Amino acid sequence: MQTFKKYLHPLYKDLAEVADFSNIKAQSTLEEEEYPHLEKVTNINLRSLKFLLPKLDRLEKELEEQVFLIDSESDIDERKDAKSIYNKIMVEIEILVNRINNELVGLDSPYFGKIIFQPYDSPSRKPLSMYIGKFALLDEETHIPLITDWRAPIANLYYQNSGPKNEVSFTAPVGERKGDLKQKRQFQISRARIAGIYDAKTGNVAADEFLLSQLNHRLGKKLQDIVSTIQAQQNEIIRDEIHKPVLIQGVAGSGKTTILLHRLAYLFYTYKQEISQSNTLIIAPNQMFIDYVSDVLPSLGIHNVDSQTYLFWGKKVLGWDKYYTLSQEKEDLNIKEFKGSLKFINVLDEYISLFEEKLLENIPYSRKDIIARRYRELKEEFKNIDMSERIELAVDYAFAQKQFKRTYTGEVNDTYEFDIEKRKEILNYVKSNCSIYTLYKNLFKSGLVSKDTAEYSLKGLDQKGRLRKYRSEDLGAMVYLYQRIFGKKEMERDYIVIDEAQDMSFVQLATLIKVAKNGNITIAGDLAQSIIPPFYIQDWSNLIELIKDITSKDTTYYQLFRCYRTTVEIVEYANRIFKDKFPKSYKLPEAVLRHGDEVKVLEYDSEIAIMKKEDLRELLFLIKKEFENGAVTCALLCRDKDHADRLYKVFKDYGDILNREVISYEENDYHSGLLILPIENAKGLEFDTVIFADLNSSYYSDELLDIKLLYVGITRALHRVMIVTKKGDDIVKYLK
């Protein structure tokens, strides 16, 4: 029988053990004080699970019965009914599995914080004692909150204050409430057992201790939620209001991605009547990144959010199939930069205006002047109507006017059938001229761009039979044309978040900003991590102006400087190398709290691909030692894909020696083991140990791109960095 328990949090197997509090011995008076509350909420969670788990068993049996009917039933209608019931049960199971996992998460670590707040508006009453967790929990008898959701307004007191403080406030549904924060307590709870309690004091000593304990235990697994350690500035961004654009510039390791996802979770909670999870879009740099962040939202109780790369989103908008493929022609970075620029947006707008007039002039109808006039009236009066709809309305108007005139004058002339055919002919004419791929190709025959740009672009837009090729920068431009002609209604999203925006073009960003309802968009990036040429965005000011042009709204801009990912030693090493390489206006990361090993520089006689056996054996031993010391992921970072392919061939057969899987970047999933990937593909990810492959002058130079690649690579590390280089290479002097 098919089972879905493999998708459950593993704690479901140990419910009896978790339920038994009889042998617990409090290690301190604080634990003695806190365990009764923990036991109470644990028992409530257990009762819920004892109801839900048998329900999953019943649904699995019902599903199996439908599978049997589908396989054995010969009657077509009966099989159709069985399939329909099967699909309904599958939906129920998916919902139930998500609910059970939420309960198991709550059972495992039901809360992480506690505050005691004395409001000024009720000084005689007992202070409010609130436990803060991922999910709210009510006392079944009194309906008093046993746990308050981290997104609730009062939880803001926990995040915005480092410890007890007088004269604090939060905005409740009834208005602002003021009072004194008497206590802030932080918990480490696992398997419904207290592993640590920290009484935070103003001045952040205990708060830092709690944060440090959490950071030290981080392993290079998939990205996890940070609800227990959200810092004050991160909290400010997460809780910023809806209906306005937000832009985050953050150094490596500052939590940009995590902030984006937690902001979504907060907005879904706070504005559930205005935005839906299923109509929200996350744009990510690559498929491995999507897999890496895939657990965060479900862990916060959020499901069905659409995560895509721009490539897949753009192709979906255009309705493209497998016959549309990326051109392999050599790139001209100068032309590529132009075709992603603000200037090219102006070219696209001018081209559409010319096309619009030409389309109206050549309508195959003697009364086309009426259509053109009505079209322009609609354009002036109703700016939200798209071009294709305006034409259809103008055509309908022209034929309605014709019919009205006949009726008014009493003319008897049966041309009804003719009018129907003529209207169909006009609309077919419009449709045939609005093929986006053809229309875009014609742009480069229009004289609006230089001869070199036109020749280069047409070479990339090669068409043979059904097969159509395009360059990566062409996709955004064609989506832009599509939006100008067919509008944006069908592709509008309640909310959009964009990560790693520094490597996107202005044209791509414009197409996404256009479909974010009410300016509901949050964009994050780091200019120092712009590593995919050409570099479209030199500073964020032009993007802020573009957002204003499209949305008529001002952007709220945040800067994050503190790095929570990497140790002090690694951050200081990176800053020493990069301090003279980046513009003075760019502020390098500030290390937070955590110390670790110094960066190791390993010198060998040759590059890894042609190493002597004893040198390769030594390198394998060092990597194996990383795993033995607790590393879950080690990343061997390479200059580019060709470099990564060569080294994968070297290491792929040594999995048995390492006692770990050796993974190529082509797999697209974020695995534990030794991942061999180009730095470009590591962007946004993190690993326990980062190993730079062949960091020597054969692969790297003093150019800004290479400097940025090194910066991105070094700051992927959670705990350790090793650099493999050649003895005597010119770069070595910069590494020590």
Side-chain angles (χ1 to χ4, degrees), residues 162 203-204 207-209 211-212 215 218 229-234 237 248-256 259 526 529 558-568 571 575 586-594 711 715:
S162 61
N204 237 26
D208 284 353
E209 184 182 357
L211 176 61
L212 181 60
L215 294 177
R218 280 177 68 183
T229 58
I230 293 171
Q231 301 299 290
Q233 189 184 16
Q234 295 174 331
I237 303 170
I248 307 166
Q249 158 61 42
V251 299
S254 57
K256 297 183 295 298
I259 289 169
D526 180 14
Q529 296 184 65
Y558 292 97
Q559 292 191 75
L560 302 171
F561 302 119
R562 303 191 80 192
C563 174
Y564 298 96
R565 175 188 298 136
T566 307
T567 63
V568 170
V571 170
N575 288 350
Y586 183 81
K587 190 171 181 180
L588 290 166
E590 298 172 1
V592 176
L593 303 170
R594 194 163 61 92
Y711 172 76
T715 54

Side-chain angles (χ1 to χ4, degrees), residues 110 112 130-137 145-156 159 227 239 265-266 269-270 300-301:
F112 51 81
M130 312 289 291
Y131 289 83
I132 313 295
K134 283 185 189 177
F135 307 114
L137 184 68
L146 296 174
I147 303 173
T148 297
D149 192 294
W150 68 277
R151 297 164 290 189
I154 195 171
N156 211 26
Y159 291 114
V227 289
R239 293 174 185 263
Y266 170 78
Y269 175 89
T270 308
L300 298 171

Side-chain angles (χ1 to χ4, degrees), residues 679-695:
I679 296 172
E680 176 183 320
N681 288 53
K683 186 174 59 167
L685 309 180
E686 60 187 24
F687 312 93
D688 291 314
T689 301
V690 163
I691 305 156
F692 268 99
D694 300 322
L695 208 170

Side-chain angles (χ1 to χ4, degrees), residues 55 105 115 249 256 262 302 379 451 534 565 615 657 693-694 711:
K55 187 176 180 181
V105 167
I115 56 172
Q249 158 61 42
K256 297 183 295 298
H262 284 68
I302 306 301
K379 186 176 180 180
K451 183 180 178 182
R565 175 188 298 136
D615 289 342
I657 293 175
D694 300 322
Y711 172 76

Side-chain angles (χ1 to χ4, degrees), residues 399 415-426:
F399 282 100
T415 59
Y416 180 72
E417 294 295 334
F418 172 82
D419 288 350
I420 289 176
E421 289 302 315
K422 177 55 71 172
R423 181 183 182 279
K424 189 183 296 184
E425 180 189 350
I426 294 169

